[in-house]
Amino acid sequence: MANVSPAQIKTKLCKIEVPQVVLDKDDCDPSMVVPSPGTWEECTTLPQPTRRLTFPVPTGSEEGCILNIPLQDGTKLAKELPHGLNSGEMVLAFQRPDGDWRMMKKPAEFAFVVPPDATPGAALKPQLPDGTYLHFEVPESVGPGNLIELQHQGSWQLKRVVELTEVQQVPAQSNTIRGPFLAALDTLRQSVSLKQLVPDASGILGVNVPFCGRFQEYAMLGNFLAEHCLTLPGIKGARIFGCDMSDRYYYDWAVARRWFAEFHPMIEVHLQVRDLHLDPLPKAGLTIALHPEVTKGGSWFPIMGSVIKASQNGICLIASFFQDEAKTLMNMVDMYDEGRAKLLVENTYWKESAESNVAESVPSKRMNFLLLLPPSSQTKSMNTSYFQWFGRLVSAICGRK
């Protein structure tokens, strides 16, 4: 792996402003390519890089600037500085087998769970977020289910071994976490027929959870899938694909996987670090996307394009804090799946909470606006009976009060 000095990199700065208005197709850079949906196998196993180099972000670089990086063959690589990287932080640039170069913050820590069949001395090959495989031999004191935390200090070294906490069937959470999410799932179930969910050829329902953060809604989603989806004809199981750009959530993800293994073993869970404006999502029968920061524009256009396209044959629920975000999301749906039916509603939890003054004490209302998208293939039939469909939704929501 080559190193590049800051003096070798020239930056071209461009002013980036966070928009405070509703965005549409005119705000999208047409050169941004939306990743095409992939298969489960393509998305869960990353291609291995052919070349890698590291360098610090040059002083004065800002989000959106173009870095001109000299390569060993005498050519230069021009790439936009990734979101979230600041001056002085280490960047990892790597080239994939298709020739495409990617950039990300150089991982300083990494974690993985020891698989159930691993024994002391066994050689494991966990995969880093850039696709590189590590070689790790299981120590004598380490057992299946332990979380292995590694840190990079010139090379990857063992930081510590963590024994995961015992999982509870109903994890402790505040009402502001549980209430809005459960109400959103209830609205989804009542407004869009779950009979439209289509599993793959083997009967497995694909579920996408992009930008999942620590995935704190895992138990509520798991119970919803088990009760309302796995009981449908033709669905034999489910696979959840969750991802986030941050590498801070390995422990939380490990706890979520352990919970599913104990309480819903028919639901497989794969959680990984992933940059969705470059890497594809698998095709999904159900998508739950919480709080995309779409009014920031930029890479959020291809990110949401990827989410929308991967859900074309399925049901999609996208939640936002603010109305401008919700309107921007609707414009993005029109951009990437023109003509697809969509319904925007307010979360019933906050409507009911307003009557008890609970909402007034919350600075930001989680999942305040809900954008519901049925499968694209159902748009025509839904449009022909839109008023009946909308009437059923209104009746269902009003009936909760």
Side-chain angles (χ1 to χ4, degrees):
M1 178 167 58
N3 292 315
V4 179
S5 69
Q8 293 177 284
I9 303 173
K10 295 181 179 180
T11 64
K12 178 183 178 182
L13 298 179
C14 54
K15 188 176 181 180
I16 298 293
E17 295 182 358
V18 178
Q20 300 295 326
V21 296
V22 176
L23 303 184
D24 58 26
K25 62 181 180 181
D26 293 333
D27 299 294
C28 178
D29 181 350
S31 66
M32 291 185 174
V33 178
V34 177
S36 298
T39 64
W40 176 266
E41 291 72 20
E42 289 170 342
C43 294
T44 54
T45 303
L46 298 172
Q48 296 187 62
T50 56
R51 288 194 288 177
R52 304 168 76 232
L53 57 91
T54 61
F55 56 88
V57 177
T59 302
S61 299
E62 300 176 0
E63 182 179 342
C65 72
I66 304 300
L67 304 182
N68 294 294
I69 308 159
L71 302 178
Q72 289 180 316
D73 59 7
T75 61
K76 288 188 176 182
L77 171 67
K79 296 290 289 186
E80 181 178 337
L81 181 66
H83 171 73
L85 278 170
N86 301 310
S87 296
E89 292 185 318
M90 295 302 294
V91 179
L92 172 63
F94 55 97
Q95 187 178 35
R96 289 190 167 170
D98 61 2
D100 186 27
W101 280 89
R102 306 289 179 90
M103 290 202 309
M104 62 185 296
K105 182 177 180 180
K106 183 181 178 181
E109 295 188 336
F110 177 67
F112 64 94
V113 175
V114 178
D117 57 349
T119 57
L124 305 180
K125 292 185 176 182
Q127 193 175 32
L128 293 171
D130 71 333
T132 302
Y133 284 98
L134 297 178
H135 178 87
F136 181 84
E137 291 188 3
V138 180
E140 287 293 332
S141 58
V142 175
N146 287 159
L147 181 70
I148 304 298
E149 293 186 353
L150 306 176
Q151 60 184 359
H152 195 274
Q153 296 181 337
S155 62
W156 286 102
Q157 301 175 12
L158 179 63
K159 178 181 179 181
R160 62 177 177 172
V161 178
V162 180
E163 186 172 347
L164 298 179
T165 182
E166 291 293 329
V167 291
Q168 304 296 321
Q169 189 164 9
V170 181
Q173 290 175 320
S174 68
N175 287 336
T176 54
I177 297 293
R178 293 182 56 81
F181 192 78
L182 291 175
L185 292 179
D186 192 43
T187 299
L188 172 67
R189 182 175 59 85
Q190 295 186 55
S191 61
V192 182
S193 174
L194 296 182
K195 292 181 180 180
Q196 298 177 94
L197 293 173
V198 179
D200 64 17
S202 59
I204 302 300
L205 176 67
V207 181
N208 282 345
V209 188
F211 26 92
C212 65
R214 57 174 43 90
F215 194 33
Q216 56 192 338
E217 303 84 7
Y218 65 88
M220 293 178 283
L221 178 58
N223 290 332
F224 176 84
L225 293 174
E227 181 178 356
H228 300 292
C229 301
L230 300 190
T231 54
L232 294 172
I235 297 182
K236 302 176 182 178
R239 292 193 296 199
I240 297 175
F241 183 91
C243 58
D244 197 274
M245 280 194 66
S246 175
D247 60 0
R248 297 178 297 170
Y249 307 121
Y250 287 119
Y251 180 83
D252 302 277
W253 293 351
V255 170
R257 285 193 293 266
R258 179 170 179 173
W259 185 91
F260 275 96
E262 184 165 337
F263 296 109
H264 293 302
M266 296 297 291
I267 303 175
E268 179 184 350
V269 182
H270 183 88
L271 301 163
Q272 70 177 55
V273 176
R274 198 170 187 84
D275 186 349
L276 290 183
H277 99 277
L278 297 172
D279 294 316
L281 285 165
K283 297 178 182 179
L286 177 64
T287 298
I288 307 291
L290 305 186
H291 303 131
E293 300 178 59
V294 290
T295 54
K296 290 185 176 180
S299 61
W300 278 104
F301 278 95
I303 289 173
M304 291 312 302
S306 177
V307 171
I308 293 164
K309 288 181 178 295
S311 73
Q312 282 183 323
N313 295 322
I315 297 171
C316 184
L317 166 64
I318 312 175
S320 61
F321 286 105
F322 308 111
Q323 193 170 40
D324 282 357
E325 293 175 325
K327 291 179 179 178
T328 298
L329 284 166
M330 296 180 74
N331 290 337
M332 289 179 171
V333 174
D334 291 337
M335 288 175 58
Y336 298 114
D337 198 353
E338 185 178 3
R340 187 172 183 177
K342 51 189 180 293
L343 178 66
L344 179 64
V345 298
E346 292 184 60
N347 194 315
T348 56
Y349 175 81
W350 295 114
K351 288 185 177 181
E352 295 168 357
S353 298
E355 298 175 359
S356 60
N357 297 322
V358 173
E360 295 181 4
S361 62
V362 179
S364 56
K365 300 175 183 178
R366 291 178 56 81
M367 305 187 70
N368 193 16
F369 292 94
L370 307 175
L371 180 59
L372 304 168
L373 308 175
S376 294
S377 58
Q378 299 297 320
T379 292
K380 183 177 180 181
S381 62
M382 285 189 60
N383 285 340
T384 59
S385 59
Y386 176 80
F387 292 104
Q388 295 93 325
W389 173 66
F390 184 76
R392 289 196 298 271
L393 172 63
V394 172
S395 299
I397 294 176
C398 292
R400 289 171 49 87
K401 295 185 176 183

